[in-house]
Amino acid sequence: GVADKIANKLKNPSLYQVFQKSVQAKYPNASFTFLSEEELQKMAEGHKAKITELEAAVEEAKESAGDMEVMDALVEIAHFAAKSLTPQEAMDAYQKVLDLPKLSSGKKMDCYMELARVSSFASSLPALSTNDTTLTAVDDWVEKADQLAQSGSGDWDRRNRVSVYKALQCLLKRDMKTAAEIMLSGIATFTCVELCEYQEFLVYAALTNLLHLPRPQLHEKILQGPELLAIATDIPVVIKLIRSYYDCDYKSYLHAMVEVEDVLKQDRYLSAHAAYWMRELHLLAYKQFLDSYQSVTLAAMADQFGVSVEFLDLHASQFIAAGRLSAKIDKFGGTIVTNRADRKNAQYRQIIQKGDHLLNRIQKL
């Protein structure tokens, strides 16, 4: 089975034990063939011997070679530690590379990105984490890599990959607007396959931009974007969701949402926020529908969405109470009335506020 295949490929004793306990807890009655404690111990001893060998190569490079060879030897230890040892040992190995006095900015970016991956993996598996805060400081490593990228350091490929790291961190933090902007600009230059497949990245780009792009741009850059068109048949559920929203086919949109929920729950970057996504997708459709009306009966709106009046009343009232939907429900008349903000007045107030702020700054000079 799949569990046996994974177990056979795992060459990391600490990770193997986490995997074994997880499988046994989830499938207590299933029969899987796992390595014994003695076999795991033998694997760990083999890794220890390999590390000793790699460390000897570092010492040899220090004595008979140059800085480049020393760096290469330390990087090889870090790569091996990330694959075969504990997260903390991998972190320590990469830190030794970063401590080198003549490390190029490009190599620093590589280390920061790899440290971010190790930290992200460790933080997703509490059994592998320690009390060391560096294990969960993914944001810090991504920020350091991004600062170098923004300063023009590193080559084109590294800067593009760093932008994907940043976008996915924004996705995890629910900063969807920033994630959407970065992903949209990175569709044509994506090379960061160590974090996700290209098709997965396009799904993230499509969904985040659905929440934020104006309709004309949504049609131009997502529905008619050549990259999305090329894989449209591979992600039919996502395309159906966006197409039905653009076409104002709200019944199909809600049906597509049900199908998309399965995609969200199975994805490592989206699953933790599945409920948030479903809430935002509902709100998105309600806002677009109500933008066309000053008032509409609950029965008419419910019919458009293919839901009961009672469900719509309850659901919409929650968004209204939270201040997410500019409308009010007239229970007596059975209508929902939109409260559109006066844009000219809002712009006027904004200009006055900015003017007052500018005057205050001038007076302080």
Side-chain angles (χ1 to χ4, degrees):
V2 175
D4 289 323
K5 290 181 180 178
I6 294 174
N8 289 334
K9 290 184 178 181
L10 276 179
K11 303 302 179 186
N12 184 319
S14 59
L15 180 56
Y16 191 100
Q17 289 174 326
V18 172
F19 172 75
Q20 181 178 348
K21 290 177 182 177
S22 176
V23 171
Q24 289 173 337
K26 192 169 184 179
Y27 307 101
N29 299 320
S31 59
F32 297 106
T33 305
F34 291 108
L35 296 178
S36 64
E37 288 295 327
E38 291 76 15
E39 289 172 316
L40 285 175
Q41 183 62 33
K42 186 177 180 181
M43 183 190 296
E45 290 172 357
H47 291 344
K48 187 176 180 180
K50 179 65 176 178
I51 282 292
T52 301
E53 177 186 328
L54 292 173
E55 288 174 343
V58 172
E59 294 304 317
E60 183 180 345
K62 287 180 179 179
E63 294 175 2
S64 59
D67 293 337
M68 186 66 71
E69 288 75 16
V70 172
M71 182 200 68
D72 289 341
L74 285 172
V75 168
E76 190 171 352
I77 289 178
H79 287 167
F80 179 78
K83 181 177 68 174
S84 305
L85 305 181
T86 66
Q88 188 59 59
E89 288 172 310
M91 300 282 285
D92 293 341
Y94 279 112
Q95 191 59 55
K96 288 180 180 179
V97 179
L98 287 170
D99 290 340
L100 290 173
K102 298 180 181 179
L103 194 64
S104 69
S105 56
K107 290 297 182 182
K108 286 182 181 178
M109 290 170 72
D110 288 341
C111 283
Y112 291 146
M113 285 188 280
E114 288 168 18
L115 279 164
R117 290 207 307 280
V118 172
S119 298
S120 177
F121 181 74
S123 62
S124 68
L125 292 173
L128 285 181
S129 299
T130 69
N131 292 325
D132 192 329
T133 56
T134 57
L135 282 177
T136 55
V138 186
D139 280 345
D140 293 342
W141 300 122
V142 174
E143 178 63 26
K144 288 180 179 180
D146 187 51
Q147 287 175 356
L148 288 175
Q150 295 300 327
S151 69
S153 300
D155 56 21
W156 175 86
D157 179 67
R158 284 189 176 101
R159 291 196 295 272
N160 283 333
R161 285 167 51 222
V162 168
S163 70
V164 176
Y165 278 76
K166 184 177 179 180
L168 290 177
Q169 277 305 107
C170 289
L171 195 65
L172 290 172
K173 295 186 294 183
R174 294 189 185 178
D175 182 2
M176 300 303 174
K177 186 172 178 59
T178 303
E181 293 171 353
I182 297 174
M183 289 179 178
L184 188 63
S185 64
I187 287 177
T189 58
F190 177 84
T191 59
C192 195
V193 292
E194 69 268 23
L195 286 187
C196 63
E197 297 294 332
Y198 184 49
Q199 182 172 307
E200 293 175 314
F201 182 77
L202 290 179
V203 169
Y204 304 148
L207 289 175
T208 53
N209 279 281
L210 172 61
L211 296 182
H212 294 287
L213 273 186
R215 281 173 55 83
Q217 293 182 36
L218 183 67
H219 182 264
E220 175 190 351
K221 297 183 178 181
I222 300 299
L223 288 175
Q224 294 300 316
E227 294 85 3
L228 268 298
L229 286 174
I231 66 159
T233 55
D234 297 323
I235 53 170
V237 174
V238 175
I239 297 300
K240 177 184 176 183
L241 179 77
I242 301 172
R243 172 62 67 185
S244 57
Y245 170 78
Y246 182 79
D247 292 341
C248 302
D249 183 355
Y250 298 109
K251 285 183 182 178
S252 295
Y253 179 81
L254 288 193
H255 289 157
M257 277 183 60
V258 174
E259 297 173 346
V260 163
E261 187 173 15
D262 290 334
V263 175
L264 298 174
K265 288 181 176 179
Q266 293 172 19
D267 187 272
R268 53 185 162 167
Y269 292 106
L270 303 176
S271 58
H273 309 295
Y276 163 85
W277 273 98
M278 297 302 287
R279 187 167 61 250
E280 293 301 308
L281 291 173
H282 269 113
L283 180 62
L284 184 70
Y286 290 163
K287 282 183 174 179
Q288 177 172 271
F289 178 85
L290 290 173
D291 276 346
S292 303
Y293 301 92
Q294 286 188 334
S295 69
V296 62
T297 65
L298 286 168
M301 185 173 175
D303 181 65
Q304 285 290 308
F305 281 84
V307 298
S308 68
V309 173
E310 292 76 15
F311 173 85
L312 180 63
D313 186 358
L314 176 63
H315 210 209
S317 64
Q318 291 173 343
F319 287 124
I320 293 170
R324 302 294 311 281
L325 195 59
S326 298
K328 61 183 179 180
I329 295 176
D330 180 356
K331 282 282 196 178
F332 180 78
T335 60
I336 182 167
V337 182
T338 58
N339 296 328
R340 288 191 181 84
D342 189 326
R343 291 184 181 178
K344 287 188 177 179
N345 283 341
Q347 289 173 347
Y348 175 75
R349 286 194 297 271
Q350 187 178 20
I351 290 172
I352 294 297
Q353 288 173 353
K354 288 182 178 179
D356 288 342
H357 181 63
L358 179 60
L359 288 173
N360 289 334
R361 290 181 63 185
I362 291 174
Q363 288 171 357
K364 290 177 181 179
L365 294 177

